[in-house]
Amino acid sequence: MQRPLVGALATLLLAGASLVGAGTAQAVAPSPAPDRAPAAPLAEAKGKAVDFAGTVALSNCSGSVVRLPNSVDTDPALVLSNGHCLEGGMPAAGQVIVDRASSRSFTLLNSSGSGVGTLRATKVAYATMTDTDISLYQLSSTYAQIKQRYKIDALSLSADHPVPGTAIKVVSGYWKRIYTCDIDGFVYRMREGSWTWKDSVRYTPSCNTIGGTSGSPVVDAATGKVVAVNNTGNEDGERCTVNNPCEVDESGNVTVHQGINYAQQTYLIAACVGTGNKIDLTRPGCVLPRP
């Protein structure tokens, strides 16, 4: 996974890992200390206007306030990011976290990318780096309260599997950058260090995401819905090492694409969230890993 900020990177190197935006610091205003400079904004593609409204900046990553197809305005809002962006450190392979107390804060952005307020979590509703790389924080505010106070709507999470060729935007709240490209295809299995992910999204080359973009929502440019969450890229051309994920097909053949970046699909989340935005891994159709 793409390296995080310099300070967090030093901590992770001591621990033997350096995934995108990973670290243990509580969320604060973003620090201008990345491992490398951000890419320049890319031109907007035709389709639904995509901006920063509803995205958030973490201390070390990006994220977004999201609602599920069955969410209602009075539900506690959810923030989507990567599992490797957790403030308590990265989950081990096979580890699943459910309903863990958290008071993490997030800077909410408006359409132009300006911070308009601070949102606070009450818990990590769900997080894992097994099969996928996601975290869902439950907030102390409802969707209605956020809308009333900040005039900002949550992003809608798609319940459908995207298709190759879909025009997408990767919206980084940390860097306040929008990357524009297409879904190039899907990876049967992707391996990085000790982690394995299923059915990952491969971008076309113009989404050259960097450290700090981890957790960014991947938005379908036509519908405006979130279809994935940005999480990694092969930096050095190495094979299946940290910061150098490899692709593995159904026959076990391994392929490396240096400079190509990836995301984890999010449609699977919809089947695992019940009334009141509660995570319920026993719901019919829910295939997210269980503790």
PDB file of all heavy atoms in Angstrom, residues 164-201:
ATOM      1  N   PRO A 164     -16.224  -3.037 -15.815  1.00  0.00           N
ATOM      2  CA  PRO A 164     -15.012  -2.485 -16.444  1.00  0.00           C
ATOM      3  C   PRO A 164     -15.364  -1.336 -17.377  1.00  0.00           C
ATOM      4  O   PRO A 164     -16.415  -1.323 -18.017  1.00  0.00           O
ATOM      5  CB  PRO A 164     -14.446  -3.675 -17.221  1.00  0.00           C
ATOM      6  CG  PRO A 164     -14.992  -4.879 -16.534  1.00  0.00           C
ATOM      7  CD  PRO A 164     -16.366  -4.487 -16.067  1.00  0.00           C
ATOM      8  N   GLY A 165     -14.478  -0.370 -17.440  1.00  0.00           N
ATOM      9  CA  GLY A 165     -14.691   0.784 -18.301  1.00  0.00           C
ATOM     10  C   GLY A 165     -15.449   1.915 -17.648  1.00  0.00           C
ATOM     11  O   GLY A 165     -15.584   2.994 -18.240  1.00  0.00           O
ATOM     12  N   THR A 166     -15.948   1.709 -16.429  1.00  0.00           N
ATOM     13  CA  THR A 166     -16.671   2.761 -15.725  1.00  0.00           C
ATOM     14  C   THR A 166     -15.752   3.941 -15.447  1.00  0.00           C
ATOM     15  O   THR A 166     -14.644   3.774 -14.922  1.00  0.00           O
ATOM     16  CB  THR A 166     -17.238   2.237 -14.396  1.00  0.00           C
ATOM     17  OG1 THR A 166     -18.161   1.187 -14.663  1.00  0.00           O
ATOM     18  CG2 THR A 166     -17.944   3.336 -13.622  1.00  0.00           C
ATOM     19  N   ALA A 167     -16.199   5.145 -15.804  1.00  0.00           N
ATOM     20  CA  ALA A 167     -15.443   6.353 -15.483  1.00  0.00           C
ATOM     21  C   ALA A 167     -15.582   6.640 -14.000  1.00  0.00           C
ATOM     22  O   ALA A 167     -16.693   6.653 -13.460  1.00  0.00           O
ATOM     23  CB  ALA A 167     -15.965   7.527 -16.293  1.00  0.00           C
ATOM     24  N   ILE A 168     -14.451   6.870 -13.322  1.00  0.00           N
ATOM     25  CA  ILE A 168     -14.472   7.055 -11.875  1.00  0.00           C
ATOM     26  C   ILE A 168     -13.666   8.276 -11.459  1.00  0.00           C
ATOM     27  O   ILE A 168     -12.824   8.778 -12.212  1.00  0.00           O
ATOM     28  CB  ILE A 168     -13.917   5.815 -11.141  1.00  0.00           C
ATOM     29  CG1 ILE A 168     -12.518   5.455 -11.667  1.00  0.00           C
ATOM     30  CG2 ILE A 168     -14.881   4.643 -11.248  1.00  0.00           C
ATOM     31  CD1 ILE A 168     -11.834   4.341 -10.898  1.00  0.00           C
ATOM     32  N   LYS A 169     -13.933   8.725 -10.230  1.00  0.00           N
ATOM     33  CA  LYS A 169     -13.174   9.783  -9.581  1.00  0.00           C
ATOM     34  C   LYS A 169     -12.722   9.259  -8.219  1.00  0.00           C
ATOM     35  O   LYS A 169     -13.530   8.704  -7.468  1.00  0.00           O
ATOM     36  CB  LYS A 169     -14.037  11.023  -9.354  1.00  0.00           C
ATOM     37  CG  LYS A 169     -14.787  11.528 -10.570  1.00  0.00           C
ATOM     38  CD  LYS A 169     -13.904  12.335 -11.476  1.00  0.00           C
ATOM     39  CE  LYS A 169     -14.713  12.964 -12.602  1.00  0.00           C
ATOM     40  NZ  LYS A 169     -13.909  13.877 -13.418  1.00  0.00           N
ATOM     41  N   VAL A 170     -11.457   9.418  -7.915  1.00  0.00           N
ATOM     42  CA  VAL A 170     -10.935   9.072  -6.597  1.00  0.00           C
ATOM     43  C   VAL A 170     -10.746  10.392  -5.861  1.00  0.00           C
ATOM     44  O   VAL A 170      -9.906  11.218  -6.243  1.00  0.00           O
ATOM     45  CB  VAL A 170      -9.602   8.308  -6.706  1.00  0.00           C
ATOM     46  CG1 VAL A 170      -9.097   7.911  -5.323  1.00  0.00           C
ATOM     47  CG2 VAL A 170      -9.782   7.070  -7.580  1.00  0.00           C
ATOM     48  N   VAL A 171     -11.547  10.604  -4.806  1.00  0.00           N
ATOM     49  CA  VAL A 171     -11.653  11.923  -4.178  1.00  0.00           C
ATOM     50  C   VAL A 171     -10.933  11.904  -2.823  1.00  0.00           C
ATOM     51  O   VAL A 171     -11.432  11.341  -1.852  1.00  0.00           O
ATOM     52  CB  VAL A 171     -13.122  12.329  -3.999  1.00  0.00           C
ATOM     53  CG1 VAL A 171     -13.212  13.776  -3.508  1.00  0.00           C
ATOM     54  CG2 VAL A 171     -13.899  12.163  -5.302  1.00  0.00           C
ATOM     55  N   SER A 172      -9.763  12.525  -2.773  1.00  0.00           N
ATOM     56  CA  SER A 172      -8.960  12.523  -1.551  1.00  0.00           C
ATOM     57  C   SER A 172      -9.258  13.731  -0.683  1.00  0.00           C
ATOM     58  O   SER A 172      -8.912  14.866  -1.038  1.00  0.00           O
ATOM     59  CB  SER A 172      -7.467  12.498  -1.892  1.00  0.00           C
ATOM     60  OG  SER A 172      -6.688  12.677  -0.728  1.00  0.00           O
ATOM     61  N   GLY A 173      -9.861  13.483   0.483  1.00  0.00           N
ATOM     62  CA  GLY A 173     -10.082  14.560   1.436  1.00  0.00           C
ATOM     63  C   GLY A 173      -8.807  15.023   2.098  1.00  0.00           C
ATOM     64  O   GLY A 173      -8.696  16.179   2.501  1.00  0.00           O
ATOM     65  N   TYR A 174      -7.837  14.136   2.219  1.00  0.00           N
ATOM     66  CA  TYR A 174      -6.556  14.524   2.822  1.00  0.00           C
ATOM     67  C   TYR A 174      -5.836  15.546   1.945  1.00  0.00           C
ATOM     68  O   TYR A 174      -5.421  16.604   2.386  1.00  0.00           O
ATOM     69  CB  TYR A 174      -5.659  13.303   3.064  1.00  0.00           C
ATOM     70  CG  TYR A 174      -4.393  13.670   3.801  1.00  0.00           C
ATOM     71  CD1 TYR A 174      -4.316  13.571   5.179  1.00  0.00           C
ATOM     72  CD2 TYR A 174      -3.289  14.172   3.107  1.00  0.00           C
ATOM     73  CE1 TYR A 174      -3.172  13.962   5.860  1.00  0.00           C
ATOM     74  CE2 TYR A 174      -2.144  14.568   3.770  1.00  0.00           C
ATOM     75  CZ  TYR A 174      -2.082  14.464   5.145  1.00  0.00           C
ATOM     76  OH  TYR A 174      -0.942  14.854   5.812  1.00  0.00           O
ATOM     77  N   TRP A 175      -5.672  15.211   0.665  1.00  0.00           N
ATOM     78  CA  TRP A 175      -4.938  16.074  -0.248  1.00  0.00           C
ATOM     79  C   TRP A 175      -5.821  17.100  -0.944  1.00  0.00           C
ATOM     80  O   TRP A 175      -5.322  17.994  -1.610  1.00  0.00           O
ATOM     81  CB  TRP A 175      -4.229  15.244  -1.316  1.00  0.00           C
ATOM     82  CG  TRP A 175      -3.012  14.537  -0.818  1.00  0.00           C
ATOM     83  CD1 TRP A 175      -2.788  13.193  -0.774  1.00  0.00           C
ATOM     84  CD2 TRP A 175      -1.833  15.149  -0.285  1.00  0.00           C
ATOM     85  NE1 TRP A 175      -1.557  12.923  -0.247  1.00  0.00           N
ATOM     86  CE2 TRP A 175      -0.941  14.104   0.064  1.00  0.00           C
ATOM     87  CE3 TRP A 175      -1.441  16.474  -0.052  1.00  0.00           C
ATOM     88  CZ2 TRP A 175       0.316  14.355   0.625  1.00  0.00           C
ATOM     89  CZ3 TRP A 175      -0.192  16.717   0.497  1.00  0.00           C
ATOM     90  CH2 TRP A 175       0.656  15.658   0.827  1.00  0.00           C
ATOM     91  N   LYS A 176      -7.142  16.933  -0.833  1.00  0.00           N
ATOM     92  CA  LYS A 176      -8.068  17.794  -1.581  1.00  0.00           C
ATOM     93  C   LYS A 176      -7.745  17.722  -3.072  1.00  0.00           C
ATOM     94  O   LYS A 176      -7.608  18.735  -3.769  1.00  0.00           O
ATOM     95  CB  LYS A 176      -8.039  19.225  -1.051  1.00  0.00           C
ATOM     96  CG  LYS A 176      -8.407  19.319   0.430  1.00  0.00           C
ATOM     97  CD  LYS A 176      -8.289  20.724   0.951  1.00  0.00           C
ATOM     98  CE  LYS A 176      -8.686  20.794   2.422  1.00  0.00           C
ATOM     99  NZ  LYS A 176      -7.841  19.962   3.295  1.00  0.00           N
ATOM    100  N   ARG A 177      -7.621  16.500  -3.544  1.00  0.00           N
ATOM    101  CA  ARG A 177      -7.316  16.214  -4.942  1.00  0.00           C
ATOM    102  C   ARG A 177      -8.330  15.212  -5.481  1.00  0.00           C
ATOM    103  O   ARG A 177      -8.768  14.306  -4.758  1.00  0.00           O
ATOM    104  CB  ARG A 177      -5.925  15.604  -5.078  1.00  0.00           C
ATOM    105  CG  ARG A 177      -4.809  16.484  -4.549  1.00  0.00           C
ATOM    106  CD  ARG A 177      -4.350  17.474  -5.591  1.00  0.00           C
ATOM    107  NE  ARG A 177      -3.356  18.397  -5.052  1.00  0.00           N
ATOM    108  CZ  ARG A 177      -2.676  19.263  -5.784  1.00  0.00           C
ATOM    109  NH1 ARG A 177      -2.882  19.334  -7.079  1.00  0.00           N
ATOM    110  NH2 ARG A 177      -1.802  20.068  -5.230  1.00  0.00           N
ATOM    111  N   ILE A 178      -8.689  15.365  -6.732  1.00  0.00           N
ATOM    112  CA  ILE A 178      -9.579  14.424  -7.401  1.00  0.00           C
ATOM    113  C   ILE A 178      -8.819  13.810  -8.581  1.00  0.00           C
ATOM    114  O   ILE A 178      -8.352  14.526  -9.465  1.00  0.00           O
ATOM    115  CB  ILE A 178     -10.870  15.105  -7.883  1.00  0.00           C
ATOM    116  CG1 ILE A 178     -11.651  15.682  -6.703  1.00  0.00           C
ATOM    117  CG2 ILE A 178     -11.737  14.106  -8.658  1.00  0.00           C
ATOM    118  CD1 ILE A 178     -12.912  16.441  -7.093  1.00  0.00           C
ATOM    119  N   TYR A 179      -8.692  12.496  -8.548  1.00  0.00           N
ATOM    120  CA  TYR A 179      -8.022  11.757  -9.620  1.00  0.00           C
ATOM    121  C   TYR A 179      -9.097  11.191 -10.552  1.00  0.00           C
ATOM    122  O   TYR A 179     -10.103  10.653 -10.080  1.00  0.00           O
ATOM    123  CB  TYR A 179      -7.188  10.624  -9.050  1.00  0.00           C
ATOM    124  CG  TYR A 179      -6.084  11.064  -8.123  1.00  0.00           C
ATOM    125  CD1 TYR A 179      -6.345  11.363  -6.791  1.00  0.00           C
ATOM    126  CD2 TYR A 179      -4.774  11.169  -8.564  1.00  0.00           C
ATOM    127  CE1 TYR A 179      -5.333  11.766  -5.929  1.00  0.00           C
ATOM    128  CE2 TYR A 179      -3.745  11.560  -7.717  1.00  0.00           C
ATOM    129  CZ  TYR A 179      -4.041  11.860  -6.396  1.00  0.00           C
ATOM    130  OH  TYR A 179      -3.041  12.250  -5.545  1.00  0.00           O
ATOM    131  N   THR A 180      -8.856  11.277 -11.839  1.00  0.00           N
ATOM    132  CA  THR A 180      -9.841  10.863 -12.836  1.00  0.00           C
ATOM    133  C   THR A 180      -9.279   9.744 -13.705  1.00  0.00           C
ATOM    134  O   THR A 180      -8.189   9.875 -14.264  1.00  0.00           O
ATOM    135  CB  THR A 180     -10.232  12.053 -13.732  1.00  0.00           C
ATOM    136  OG1 THR A 180     -10.799  13.088 -12.924  1.00  0.00           O
ATOM    137  CG2 THR A 180     -11.234  11.624 -14.795  1.00  0.00           C
ATOM    138  N   CYS A 181     -10.009   8.635 -13.806  1.00  0.00           N
ATOM    139  CA  CYS A 181      -9.580   7.524 -14.663  1.00  0.00           C
ATOM    140  C   CYS A 181     -10.773   6.599 -14.883  1.00  0.00           C
ATOM    141  O   CYS A 181     -11.918   7.001 -14.660  1.00  0.00           O
ATOM    142  CB  CYS A 181      -8.407   6.756 -14.042  1.00  0.00           C
ATOM    143  SG  CYS A 181      -8.770   5.971 -12.450  1.00  0.00           S
ATOM    144  N   ASP A 182     -10.521   5.383 -15.329  1.00  0.00           N
ATOM    145  CA  ASP A 182     -11.567   4.380 -15.523  1.00  0.00           C
ATOM    146  C   ASP A 182     -11.215   3.121 -14.737  1.00  0.00           C
ATOM    147  O   ASP A 182     -10.068   2.910 -14.342  1.00  0.00           O
ATOM    148  CB  ASP A 182     -11.682   3.989 -17.008  1.00  0.00           C
ATOM    149  CG  ASP A 182     -12.129   5.135 -17.890  1.00  0.00           C
ATOM    150  OD1 ASP A 182     -12.742   6.095 -17.373  1.00  0.00           O
ATOM    151  OD2 ASP A 182     -11.831   5.079 -19.099  1.00  0.00           O
ATOM    152  N   ILE A 183     -12.220   2.273 -14.525  1.00  0.00           N
ATOM    153  CA  ILE A 183     -11.959   0.941 -13.994  1.00  0.00           C
ATOM    154  C   ILE A 183     -11.400   0.102 -15.138  1.00  0.00           C
ATOM    155  O   ILE A 183     -12.067  -0.126 -16.144  1.00  0.00           O
ATOM    156  CB  ILE A 183     -13.233   0.293 -13.427  1.00  0.00           C
ATOM    157  CG1 ILE A 183     -13.688   1.056 -12.176  1.00  0.00           C
ATOM    158  CG2 ILE A 183     -12.994  -1.177 -13.103  1.00  0.00           C
ATOM    159  CD1 ILE A 183     -14.996   0.531 -11.578  1.00  0.00           C
ATOM    160  N   ASP A 184     -10.160  -0.330 -14.982  1.00  0.00           N
ATOM    161  CA  ASP A 184      -9.503  -1.118 -16.019  1.00  0.00           C
ATOM    162  C   ASP A 184      -9.967  -2.570 -15.977  1.00  0.00           C
ATOM    163  O   ASP A 184     -10.049  -3.237 -17.013  1.00  0.00           O
ATOM    164  CB  ASP A 184      -7.990  -1.038 -15.834  1.00  0.00           C
ATOM    165  CG  ASP A 184      -7.229  -1.736 -16.941  1.00  0.00           C
ATOM    166  OD1 ASP A 184      -7.491  -1.442 -18.108  1.00  0.00           O
ATOM    167  OD2 ASP A 184      -6.382  -2.587 -16.623  1.00  0.00           O
ATOM    168  N   GLY A 185     -10.258  -3.063 -14.770  1.00  0.00           N
ATOM    169  CA  GLY A 185     -10.698  -4.448 -14.608  1.00  0.00           C
ATOM    170  C   GLY A 185     -10.697  -4.834 -13.148  1.00  0.00           C
ATOM    171  O   GLY A 185     -10.561  -3.977 -12.263  1.00  0.00           O
ATOM    172  N   PHE A 186     -10.842  -6.126 -12.900  1.00  0.00           N
ATOM    173  CA  PHE A 186     -10.928  -6.637 -11.536  1.00  0.00           C
ATOM    174  C   PHE A 186      -9.907  -7.746 -11.344  1.00  0.00           C
ATOM    175  O   PHE A 186      -9.619  -8.512 -12.263  1.00  0.00           O
ATOM    176  CB  PHE A 186     -12.346  -7.142 -11.246  1.00  0.00           C
ATOM    177  CG  PHE A 186     -13.391  -6.083 -11.476  1.00  0.00           C
ATOM    178  CD1 PHE A 186     -14.145  -6.048 -12.645  1.00  0.00           C
ATOM    179  CD2 PHE A 186     -13.596  -5.090 -10.534  1.00  0.00           C
ATOM    180  CE1 PHE A 186     -15.078  -5.058 -12.870  1.00  0.00           C
ATOM    181  CE2 PHE A 186     -14.531  -4.084 -10.745  1.00  0.00           C
ATOM    182  CZ  PHE A 186     -15.278  -4.074 -11.915  1.00  0.00           C
ATOM    183  N   VAL A 187      -9.370  -7.810 -10.138  1.00  0.00           N
ATOM    184  CA  VAL A 187      -8.295  -8.744  -9.813  1.00  0.00           C
ATOM    185  C   VAL A 187      -8.864  -9.867  -8.958  1.00  0.00           C
ATOM    186  O   VAL A 187      -9.399  -9.614  -7.872  1.00  0.00           O
ATOM    187  CB  VAL A 187      -7.161  -8.029  -9.058  1.00  0.00           C
ATOM    188  CG1 VAL A 187      -6.030  -9.010  -8.762  1.00  0.00           C
ATOM    189  CG2 VAL A 187      -6.657  -6.831  -9.850  1.00  0.00           C
ATOM    190  N   TYR A 188      -8.738 -11.102  -9.422  1.00  0.00           N
ATOM    191  CA  TYR A 188      -9.290 -12.258  -8.702  1.00  0.00           C
ATOM    192  C   TYR A 188      -8.783 -12.281  -7.262  1.00  0.00           C
ATOM    193  O   TYR A 188      -9.575 -12.341  -6.311  1.00  0.00           O
ATOM    194  CB  TYR A 188      -8.934 -13.547  -9.431  1.00  0.00           C
ATOM    195  CG  TYR A 188      -9.349 -14.808  -8.707  1.00  0.00           C
ATOM    196  CD1 TYR A 188     -10.695 -15.143  -8.584  1.00  0.00           C
ATOM    197  CD2 TYR A 188      -8.394 -15.649  -8.145  1.00  0.00           C
ATOM    198  CE1 TYR A 188     -11.091 -16.297  -7.910  1.00  0.00           C
ATOM    199  CE2 TYR A 188      -8.769 -16.809  -7.477  1.00  0.00           C
ATOM    200  CZ  TYR A 188     -10.121 -17.118  -7.360  1.00  0.00           C
ATOM    201  OH  TYR A 188     -10.498 -18.260  -6.690  1.00  0.00           O
ATOM    202  N   ARG A 189      -7.462 -12.247  -7.090  1.00  0.00           N
ATOM    203  CA  ARG A 189      -6.864 -12.131  -5.765  1.00  0.00           C
ATOM    204  C   ARG A 189      -5.689 -11.160  -5.868  1.00  0.00           C
ATOM    205  O   ARG A 189      -4.915 -11.197  -6.826  1.00  0.00           O
ATOM    206  CB  ARG A 189      -6.353 -13.473  -5.235  1.00  0.00           C
ATOM    207  CG  ARG A 189      -7.433 -14.514  -5.017  1.00  0.00           C
ATOM    208  CD  ARG A 189      -8.314 -14.189  -3.819  1.00  0.00           C
ATOM    209  NE  ARG A 189      -9.273 -15.262  -3.554  1.00  0.00           N
ATOM    210  CZ  ARG A 189     -10.512 -15.317  -4.088  1.00  0.00           C
ATOM    211  NH1 ARG A 189     -10.901 -14.356  -4.932  1.00  0.00           N
ATOM    212  NH2 ARG A 189     -11.319 -16.305  -3.792  1.00  0.00           N
ATOM    213  N   MET A 190      -5.566 -10.307  -4.882  1.00  0.00           N
ATOM    214  CA  MET A 190      -4.423  -9.410  -4.820  1.00  0.00           C
ATOM    215  C   MET A 190      -3.720  -9.629  -3.487  1.00  0.00           C
ATOM    216  O   MET A 190      -4.362  -9.664  -2.428  1.00  0.00           O
ATOM    217  CB  MET A 190      -4.858  -7.954  -4.959  1.00  0.00           C
ATOM    218  CG  MET A 190      -3.692  -6.989  -5.139  1.00  0.00           C
ATOM    219  SD  MET A 190      -4.214  -5.413  -5.855  1.00  0.00           S
ATOM    220  CE  MET A 190      -5.242  -4.785  -4.533  1.00  0.00           C
ATOM    221  N   ARG A 191      -2.403  -9.803  -3.552  1.00  0.00           N
ATOM    222  CA  ARG A 191      -1.621 -10.071  -2.347  1.00  0.00           C
ATOM    223  C   ARG A 191      -0.637  -8.940  -2.096  1.00  0.00           C
ATOM    224  O   ARG A 191      -0.002  -8.429  -3.012  1.00  0.00           O
ATOM    225  CB  ARG A 191      -0.855 -11.393  -2.487  1.00  0.00           C
ATOM    226  CG  ARG A 191      -1.751 -12.611  -2.551  1.00  0.00           C
ATOM    227  CD  ARG A 191      -0.936 -13.882  -2.736  1.00  0.00           C
ATOM    228  NE  ARG A 191      -1.811 -15.051  -2.920  1.00  0.00           N
ATOM    229  CZ  ARG A 191      -1.416 -16.191  -3.442  1.00  0.00           C
ATOM    230  NH1 ARG A 191      -0.151 -16.351  -3.826  1.00  0.00           N
ATOM    231  NH2 ARG A 191      -2.264 -17.201  -3.578  1.00  0.00           N
ATOM    232  N   GLU A 192      -0.526  -8.584  -0.823  1.00  0.00           N
ATOM    233  CA  GLU A 192       0.439  -7.573  -0.412  1.00  0.00           C
ATOM    234  C   GLU A 192       0.897  -7.915   0.996  1.00  0.00           C
ATOM    235  O   GLU A 192       0.096  -7.887   1.938  1.00  0.00           O
ATOM    236  CB  GLU A 192      -0.167  -6.177  -0.440  1.00  0.00           C
ATOM    237  CG  GLU A 192       0.834  -5.098  -0.051  1.00  0.00           C
ATOM    238  CD  GLU A 192       0.319  -3.692  -0.308  1.00  0.00           C
ATOM    239  OE1 GLU A 192      -0.645  -3.535  -1.076  1.00  0.00           O
ATOM    240  OE2 GLU A 192       0.888  -2.766   0.269  1.00  0.00           O
ATOM    241  N   GLY A 193       2.163  -8.244   1.140  1.00  0.00           N
ATOM    242  CA  GLY A 193       2.641  -8.682   2.441  1.00  0.00           C
ATOM    243  C   GLY A 193       1.855  -9.904   2.901  1.00  0.00           C
ATOM    244  O   GLY A 193       1.724 -10.890   2.171  1.00  0.00           O
ATOM    245  N   SER A 194       1.286  -9.832   4.098  1.00  0.00           N
ATOM    246  CA  SER A 194       0.529 -10.961   4.647  1.00  0.00           C
ATOM    247  C   SER A 194      -0.959 -10.908   4.321  1.00  0.00           C
ATOM    248  O   SER A 194      -1.715 -11.793   4.735  1.00  0.00           O
ATOM    249  CB  SER A 194       0.705 -11.011   6.170  1.00  0.00           C
ATOM    250  OG  SER A 194       0.223  -9.828   6.777  1.00  0.00           O
ATOM    251  N   TRP A 195      -1.384  -9.884   3.573  1.00  0.00           N
ATOM    252  CA  TRP A 195      -2.804  -9.694   3.305  1.00  0.00           C
ATOM    253  C   TRP A 195      -3.194 -10.161   1.895  1.00  0.00           C
ATOM    254  O   TRP A 195      -2.419 -10.034   0.950  1.00  0.00           O
ATOM    255  CB  TRP A 195      -3.179  -8.218   3.461  1.00  0.00           C
ATOM    256  CG  TRP A 195      -2.991  -7.723   4.865  1.00  0.00           C
ATOM    257  CD1 TRP A 195      -3.862  -7.858   5.918  1.00  0.00           C
ATOM    258  CD2 TRP A 195      -1.861  -7.019   5.386  1.00  0.00           C
ATOM    259  NE1 TRP A 195      -3.340  -7.278   7.049  1.00  0.00           N
ATOM    260  CE2 TRP A 195      -2.109  -6.765   6.758  1.00  0.00           C
ATOM    261  CE3 TRP A 195      -0.656  -6.583   4.819  1.00  0.00           C
ATOM    262  CZ2 TRP A 195      -1.220  -6.091   7.577  1.00  0.00           C
ATOM    263  CZ3 TRP A 195       0.253  -5.914   5.635  1.00  0.00           C
ATOM    264  CH2 TRP A 195      -0.027  -5.675   6.989  1.00  0.00           C
ATOM    265  N   THR A 196      -4.413 -10.664   1.779  1.00  0.00           N
ATOM    266  CA  THR A 196      -4.971 -11.061   0.485  1.00  0.00           C
ATOM    267  C   THR A 196      -6.352 -10.441   0.342  1.00  0.00           C
ATOM    268  O   THR A 196      -7.177 -10.522   1.276  1.00  0.00           O
ATOM    269  CB  THR A 196      -5.082 -12.588   0.364  1.00  0.00           C
ATOM    270  OG1 THR A 196      -3.783 -13.168   0.471  1.00  0.00           O
ATOM    271  CG2 THR A 196      -5.703 -12.985  -0.973  1.00  0.00           C
ATOM    272  N   TRP A 197      -6.626  -9.829  -0.811  1.00  0.00           N
ATOM    273  CA  TRP A 197      -7.915  -9.189  -1.079  1.00  0.00           C
ATOM    274  C   TRP A 197      -8.562  -9.808  -2.317  1.00  0.00           C
ATOM    275  O   TRP A 197      -7.880 -10.231  -3.244  1.00  0.00           O
ATOM    276  CB  TRP A 197      -7.714  -7.683  -1.274  1.00  0.00           C
ATOM    277  CG  TRP A 197      -7.042  -7.052  -0.092  1.00  0.00           C
ATOM    278  CD1 TRP A 197      -7.431  -7.139   1.214  1.00  0.00           C
ATOM    279  CD2 TRP A 197      -5.850  -6.262  -0.099  1.00  0.00           C
ATOM    280  NE1 TRP A 197      -6.568  -6.452   2.022  1.00  0.00           N
ATOM    281  CE2 TRP A 197      -5.578  -5.911   1.247  1.00  0.00           C
ATOM    282  CE3 TRP A 197      -4.978  -5.828  -1.101  1.00  0.00           C
ATOM    283  CZ2 TRP A 197      -4.487  -5.130   1.610  1.00  0.00           C
ATOM    284  CZ3 TRP A 197      -3.887  -5.051  -0.746  1.00  0.00           C
ATOM    285  CH2 TRP A 197      -3.650  -4.704   0.598  1.00  0.00           C
ATOM    286  N   LYS A 198      -9.876  -9.816  -2.311  1.00  0.00           N
ATOM    287  CA  LYS A 198     -10.635 -10.448  -3.377  1.00  0.00           C
ATOM    288  C   LYS A 198     -11.308  -9.413  -4.278  1.00  0.00           C
ATOM    289  O   LYS A 198     -11.841  -8.413  -3.796  1.00  0.00           O
ATOM    290  CB  LYS A 198     -11.720 -11.366  -2.781  1.00  0.00           C
ATOM    291  CG  LYS A 198     -11.180 -12.518  -1.944  1.00  0.00           C
ATOM    292  CD  LYS A 198     -12.327 -13.336  -1.364  1.00  0.00           C
ATOM    293  CE  LYS A 198     -11.820 -14.521  -0.548  1.00  0.00           C
ATOM    294  NZ  LYS A 198     -12.954 -15.304   0.037  1.00  0.00           N
ATOM    295  N   ASP A 199     -11.313  -9.710  -5.580  1.00  0.00           N
ATOM    296  CA  ASP A 199     -12.077  -8.921  -6.549  1.00  0.00           C
ATOM    297  C   ASP A 199     -11.756  -7.432  -6.458  1.00  0.00           C
ATOM    298  O   ASP A 199     -12.648  -6.588  -6.461  1.00  0.00           O
ATOM    299  CB  ASP A 199     -13.581  -9.163  -6.340  1.00  0.00           C
ATOM    300  CG  ASP A 199     -14.406  -8.820  -7.578  1.00  0.00           C
ATOM    301  OD1 ASP A 199     -13.840  -8.778  -8.680  1.00  0.00           O
ATOM    302  OD2 ASP A 199     -15.629  -8.586  -7.409  1.00  0.00           O
ATOM    303  N   SER A 200     -10.472  -7.118  -6.382  1.00  0.00           N
ATOM    304  CA  SER A 200     -10.039  -5.722  -6.274  1.00  0.00           C
ATOM    305  C   SER A 200     -10.244  -4.974  -7.593  1.00  0.00           C
ATOM    306  O   SER A 200     -10.228  -5.564  -8.676  1.00  0.00           O
ATOM    307  CB  SER A 200      -8.562  -5.664  -5.883  1.00  0.00           C
ATOM    308  OG  SER A 200      -8.328  -6.345  -4.674  1.00  0.00           O
ATOM    309  N   VAL A 201     -10.401  -3.670  -7.498  1.00  0.00           N
ATOM    310  CA  VAL A 201     -10.526  -2.795  -8.666  1.00  0.00           C
ATOM    311  C   VAL A 201      -9.129  -2.362  -9.105  1.00  0.00           C
ATOM    312  O   VAL A 201      -8.335  -1.874  -8.296  1.00  0.00           O
ATOM    313  CB  VAL A 201     -11.363  -1.550  -8.338  1.00  0.00           C
ATOM    314  CG1 VAL A 201     -11.340  -0.558  -9.513  1.00  0.00           C
ATOM    315  CG2 VAL A 201     -12.794  -1.933  -8.000  1.00  0.00           C
TER     316      VAL A 201
END
